[in-house]
Amino acid sequence: MIKKFLLLLSIMAGIQTAGRATSLVDYVNPLMGSFSSMELSNGNTYPTICLPFGMNNWAPHTGKMGSGFLYTYQTNFLYGFKQTHQASLWINDYGQMSVMPVTRRSHFTEEGRKSWYSHKTEVARPHYYYTYLGDPQAHVEMTPTERAAAFRVRFTGEDSTYIVVDAYDGGSYIKVIPQENMIVGYSTKHTAGVPKNFKNYFVIRFDKPFLNHSLWSGEQLKADITELSDRHVGAIIGFALQRGEAVGFNIATSYISIEQALHNLKEIGSDDFDTVKGKAEDVWNQHLGRIRVAGGSDEQLQTFYTCLYRMLIFPRKFYEISPTGEKQHYSPYTGEVLPGVMYADNGFWDTFRAQFPFMNVMYPDIVTEVLQSMENIYKESGWLPEWFSPGHRDCMIGSHSASIIADAYLKGIRGYDINLLYEAIIKNTTAVGPVSSVGRLGAKEYNSLGYIPYDVNINQNVSRTLEYAYNDYCIYRLATALGKKKKETQLYLNRSRNYKNLFDPALRLMRPRDKQGKFQPNFDPYRWGDHFTEGNSWQYTWFVPHDVEGLQQLMGGKEGFFGKLDSVFSQPQVYDISYYKRGVIHLIREMQNADMGQYAHLNEPMHHVPYLYAFGQPWKTQAIVRRIMDKLYKPTPDGYCGDEDNGQMSAWYVFSAMGFYPLSPVSNEYVLGSPIFEKVEMKLPNGKIFKVEASGNNRNRVYVSDIKLNGVPYNRYTLTYDTLLNGATLWFGMTDKQGNCGKYKKHF
């Protein structure tokens, strides 16, 4: 009894030490956004244990095999600890496998091995996860490298001790090598987008000898064999452990081969668990420490650094380092192993808005590799990616690879073949690719009519038109920078104004037209879906980030523009769901919960809308962005509104909290808002420092009285990329009284 009590004290002491705020990782709550369901999304996140942009994530999983809900905070039991590559609930996972401690040899099935657990004994940090499993009386810890992870499992009960390895269904293989305390195998589990020979190879090396082992297929235990392949296989390994003794094991994976997985295991090498954990913590602190903030509440600090952590997970590396040091990748487009880099798990429809603009400032080296990866994808598949996870996935609209590429090039990021990428961008404008999200669905109609009509059986036609127009502006900017002939640049500049073709001056909203140019009769601007992507006309009318002046003119000038914009936030929360067969979708509920009229921050097309007020009524931008940050973001399991898509929902917060936002990324300017911290310090990759100062800032002082740049009065509401990149101090005078700060002189 005394030994058991002392053991419990030592374990709890370790947890308390891990919980003390001794470094920036302690401000991060990976559980933020995990209290989600099909009916209501508070982020649809899971506690992601990884290194920044690492090839693998690790997470406890409450969802059964194949469930997109990998981890939901409200579920009371775990099925295991999973290697995951899931970037989105709606895309689901690929290359999964999981492990789980049990105390009975018969507990190898999914239902047989699940265990109750409590958030009271759960510790989640970017670099480390711990929980206590009540049924097997096991304390489980895990910590990552880029392509591997270390585990430590301490059994404190009196029963037998086993580790279950699940290679998942869809076709899997497993082999036990007892003399080396090792298991190897592969999983082929995926949802779509990869060749038939796709495999996620894994190697698991234990630090204790095997007492016994069995393999299993489905629900059948297979004794006295060491190798097995079938639709769904796994292993259960027994150990001779003293009560309270731990078994440690390291797992590495590869898309190339078991031999490459063994090589990837060298990321851990001879390091013990605590050393791996310490190194992972150092890596995260170094990355989080690139931006230092001060002067906010603990809640604001936690929200900021948790959002920053979410921004550094995707896109993830899909390439590996060969034994001779070269970068190589399994191609999810050809099935071959090829030289060079590859990235996966990103949807550009979400991330072109703020996630990649942030990367261009703080991670140009990663952006270079992403663009090299896009080169390789174009060479291997003939098309640019829009949602790679990996392989082309049929998800979302637009051809926002143009924005990703143009934004990077215009910001001076190099190290890739821009001419090849430009060729690929132009190809995108002419046809649809292997799935509807690649290239441009409706390109023929868009190019000939200047819009996609609603009577040609192409859904989301208004949204597609508006997004293609923005994409064409990106092409215009890139073509100009590349010195293309005026005829070519003018073509895309003209197409960038195609949004005007769907503007109904009577409603002052975007409205579908038919092939003859007639507006759709009996149009309901509150109707979700159909002509619009996950929204309605009230929300999509404003998607003209590249030509705010042009949109103002359509609405009768600034007075009409701002009056209409005001009405977005004052409208009743009316909606028409007749397009959706399953009734009210979660996005509508999340708009209702926000209680901000027809403004839907839950989804990305409106992220720039609060910043439109800066074009004449900046105090409204200041008030609204602070309201959104205070109301819709918390460092809690229900802390997001809508889906946290690949870091974009977080990127909006991080930029806004610092006081500026990339309304139109390729403009190379940022619109100023209202910072929430007294001090922000960005350590730029070029060694320069960009500072934001807002002395006396607090939750009530949301308005800006005046601005200074390097001590000189500043009367513009945009900040240039060059100013930021060269290092500067941007000072905001904060007040609780609204008003126009200085004289507005400059906009896009």
Side-chain angles (χ1 to χ4, degrees):
M1 186 67 184
I2 293 175
K3 287 183 178 180
K4 182 177 181 181
F5 178 71
L6 291 174
L7 176 63
L8 181 61
L9 282 180
S10 67
I11 291 169
M12 293 307 295
I15 296 168
Q16 290 163 5
T17 298
R20 284 201 296 266
T22 56
S23 60
L24 289 177
V25 293
D26 294 305
Y27 285 115
V28 177
N29 181 13
L31 301 178
M32 178 175 168
S34 62
F35 198 109
S36 298
S37 66
M38 189 64 74
E39 294 77 24
L40 188 68
S41 173
N42 290 305
N44 271 330
T45 65
Y46 55 88
T48 310
I49 313 305
C50 64
L51 290 188
F53 314 112
M55 191 173 86
N56 298 329
N57 294 348
W58 293 88
H61 65 105
T62 63
K64 291 188 176 183
M65 180 174 59
S67 171
F69 285 101
L70 194 157
Y71 176 100
T72 51
Y73 189 85
Q74 61 270 34
T75 305
N76 296 313
F77 48 80
L78 297 178
Y79 285 105
F81 302 87
K82 184 179 181 183
Q83 181 207 39
T84 173
H85 304 96
Q86 182 167 298
S88 166
L89 160 70
W90 312 109
I91 294 294
N92 213 306
D93 212 340
Y94 66 91
Q96 313 100 295
M97 53 86 62
S98 73
V99 294
M100 183 67 168
V102 297
T103 56
R104 294 287 186 274
R105 184 168 170 268
S106 58
H107 290 177
F108 63 90
T109 65
E110 189 169 56
E111 284 299 311
R113 64 180 182 257
K114 76 177 183 181
S115 172
W116 289 82
Y117 82 113
S118 170
H119 298 300
K120 296 179 177 66
T121 60
E122 186 178 36
V123 176
R125 296 289 181 267
H127 69 293
Y128 173 74
Y129 181 86
Y130 161 88
T131 195
Y132 173 70
L133 300 176
D135 291 327
Q137 299 182 58
H139 302 263
V140 181
E141 301 172 274
M142 58 182 177
T143 189
T145 68
E146 285 195 338
R147 299 171 184 84
F151 283 76
R152 183 164 62 192
V153 180
R154 190 180 308 276
F155 292 89
T156 55
E158 297 179 350
D159 293 316
S160 303
T161 53
Y162 296 89
I163 300 293
V164 179
V165 178
D166 191 341
Y168 278 45
D169 65 359
S172 47
Y173 164 79
I174 200 154
K175 180 179 181 180
V176 179
I177 310 173
Q179 63 273 23
E180 297 184 37
N181 303 334
M182 191 162 68
I183 297 175
V184 301
Y186 61 72
S187 166
T188 65
K189 184 74 171 175
H190 64 86
T191 47
V194 295
K196 291 182 179 180
N197 69 345
F198 170 81
K199 292 182 175 68
N200 180 51
Y201 299 94
F202 60 84
V203 172
I204 310 176
R205 179 168 285 154
F206 295 83
D207 66 0
K208 297 285 192 299
F210 299 170
L211 176 65
N212 53 60
H213 72 270
S214 298
L215 304 186
W216 51 268
S217 175
E219 296 188 359
Q220 300 296 316
L221 206 59
K222 308 278 187 179
D224 302 322
I225 60 173
T226 59
E227 191 172 8
L228 182 62
S229 62
D230 206 340
R231 183 176 182 278
H232 182 191
V233 302
I236 180 165
I237 309 299
F239 299 91
L241 302 178
Q242 298 295 317
R243 188 177 178 187
E245 187 178 0
V247 58
F249 51 95
N250 301 331
I251 307 177
T253 68
S254 168
Y255 301 113
I256 295 173
S257 66
I258 288 174
E259 292 73 24
Q260 180 65 41
L262 276 166
H263 179 70
N264 293 344
L265 196 60
K266 292 180 180 178
E267 289 183 352
I268 295 178
S270 60
D271 290 346
D272 62 15
F273 181 90
D274 291 322
T275 301
V276 178
K277 176 187 171 187
K279 287 181 177 180
E281 181 175 7
D282 290 344
V283 170
W284 271 111
N285 280 330
Q286 183 271 322
H287 283 266
L288 296 172
R290 294 186 183 192
I291 304 180
R292 294 279 182 170
V293 298
S297 67
D298 283 347
E299 181 181 87
Q300 289 170 331
L301 287 167
Q302 291 164 18
T303 304
F304 182 86
Y305 281 110
T306 302
C307 285
L308 184 55
Y309 143 81
R310 283 283 165 202
M311 294 168 66
L312 304 182
I313 296 173
F314 304 110
R316 76 168 85 248
K317 295 174 181 176
F318 197 80
Y319 67 85
E320 303 170 54
I321 309 300
S322 74
T324 54
E326 290 88 18
K327 295 175 181 177
Q328 58 179 344
H329 66 274
Y330 163 83
S331 171
Y333 305 92
T334 69
E336 303 171 278
V337 177
L338 298 169
V341 299
M342 181 65 63
Y343 276 73
D345 302 314
N346 209 257
F348 295 158
W349 185 84
D350 305 293
T351 56
F352 85 87
R353 306 167 198 272
Q355 166 70 355
F356 267 93
F358 175 86
M359 299 270 285
N360 288 334
V361 174
M362 300 301 294
Y363 288 90
D365 55 333
I366 296 293
V367 174
T368 293
E369 285 200 337
V370 170
L371 267 60
Q372 290 172 353
S373 170
M374 292 170 76
E375 278 186 65
N376 289 332
I377 292 170
Y378 180 58
K379 292 173 183 176
E380 293 163 26
S381 74
W383 295 91
L384 285 173
E386 303 296 337
W387 227 124
F388 50 175
S389 71
H392 295 300
R393 297 298 297 274
D394 199 2
C395 185
M396 309 315 295
I397 67 168
S399 53
H400 295 299
S401 53
S403 184
I404 302 295
I405 295 165
D407 190 17
Y409 187 82
L410 291 167
K411 288 181 170 58
I413 298 173
R414 299 292 187 268
Y416 49 88
D417 187 345
I418 188 58
N419 293 315
L420 181 67
L421 291 177
Y422 183 78
E423 171 193 303
I425 289 172
I426 300 305
K427 179 180 178 180
N428 262 7
T429 68
T430 63
V432 65
V435 293
S436 69
S437 63
V438 173
R440 289 186 179 180
L441 183 62
K444 178 182 177 182
E445 293 81 3
Y446 175 84
N447 292 342
S448 60
L449 298 174
Y451 62 94
I452 302 174
Y454 71 85
D455 54 347
V456 293
N457 196 31
I458 297 176
N459 70 351
Q460 305 169 76
N461 39 77
V462 175
S463 294
R464 292 183 194 276
T465 298
L466 297 175
E467 296 199 20
Y468 294 163
Y470 166 74
N471 300 149
D472 284 332
Y473 180 74
C474 296
I475 298 172
Y476 158 71
R477 292 272 292 155
L478 179 59
T480 301
L482 292 175
K484 301 299 181 181
K485 293 180 180 179
K486 186 173 181 180
K487 181 180 179 181
E488 187 168 355
T489 60
Q490 193 65 39
L491 171 66
Y492 293 103
L493 179 60
N494 292 341
R495 286 182 179 176
S496 76
R497 297 166 181 154
N498 281 345
Y499 70 90
K500 297 180 180 182
N501 297 329
L502 294 182
F503 184 80
D504 180 355
L507 293 175
R508 289 191 295 161
L509 292 169
M510 300 296 175
R511 182 173 181 173
R513 298 182 95 144
D514 65 15
K515 288 181 288 188
Q516 283 69 46
K518 296 178 181 179
F519 282 119
Q520 183 188 40
N522 303 316
F523 172 64
D524 183 355
Y526 296 100
R527 187 170 187 253
W528 279 60
D530 200 358
H531 311 293
F532 299 91
T533 303
E534 300 176 352
N536 61 30
S537 184
W538 278 103
Q539 291 144 20
Y540 246 100
T541 290
W542 309 94
F543 190 74
V544 189
H546 58 291
D547 190 13
V548 179
E549 270 192 319
L551 187 59
Q552 285 183 340
Q553 291 169 4
L554 288 179
M555 291 189 173
K558 288 188 177 183
E559 185 177 351
F561 176 81
F562 290 124
K564 194 70 172 181
L565 191 54
D566 286 342
S567 69
V568 171
F569 294 92
S570 62
Q571 282 287 310
Q573 294 183 320
V574 177
Y575 56 86
D576 176 348
I577 59 169
S578 57
Y579 176 74
Y580 296 111
K581 301 293 187 284
R582 62 180 186 271
V584 178
I585 62 174
H586 74 92
L587 298 164
I588 295 175
R589 291 192 179 96
E590 289 139 23
M591 179 189 74
Q592 290 178 298
N593 288 349
D595 189 24
M596 298 180 74
Q598 289 290 317
Y599 179 71
H601 191 77
L602 55 101
N603 220 1
E604 284 73 11
M606 294 202 85
H607 275 192
H608 70 292
V609 169
Y611 287 93
L612 294 176
Y613 280 114
F615 293 77
Q617 297 181 355
W619 60 91
K620 292 182 180 177
T621 287
Q622 295 154 18
I624 291 172
V625 297
R626 290 288 284 266
R627 182 183 174 194
I628 294 170
M629 284 188 279
D630 287 345
K631 186 176 185 179
L632 302 184
Y633 289 83
K634 302 288 182 186
T636 56
D638 63 345
Y640 288 105
C641 60
D643 293 340
E644 206 305 279
D645 290 314
N646 307 156
Q648 170 57 30
M649 195 67 70
S650 293
W652 186 94
Y653 184 92
V654 166
F655 266 118
S656 297
M658 294 192 296
F660 54 98
Y661 186 79
L663 186 147
S664 178
V666 295
S667 70
N668 278 7
E669 290 186 301
Y670 308 89
V671 175
L672 301 184
S674 176
I676 64 172
F677 297 107
E678 290 192 57
K679 292 184 178 180
V680 176
E681 185 174 286
M682 302 174 69
K683 300 176 182 177
L684 303 173
N686 62 6
K688 303 290 181 66
I689 304 292
F690 181 78
K691 297 180 181 180
V692 177
E693 296 180 352
S695 301
N697 199 0
N698 59 45
R699 289 185 184 273
N700 297 318
R701 304 176 76 176
V702 304
Y703 299 105
V704 178
S705 61
D706 55 327
I707 302 172
K708 294 179 182 179
L709 182 65
N710 295 328
V712 178
Y714 190 72
N715 295 318
R716 293 169 54 177
Y717 270 89
T718 60
L719 174 75
T720 69
Y721 171 74
D722 287 341
T723 298
L724 192 161
L725 194 67
N726 289 329
T729 298
L730 185 67
W731 179 87
F732 290 85
M734 307 303 297
T735 176
D736 59 358
K737 297 177 176 61
Q738 71 178 41
N740 197 349
C741 165
K743 185 179 180 183
Y744 184 80
K745 291 183 177 180
K746 178 79 168 64
H747 51 69
F748 300 122

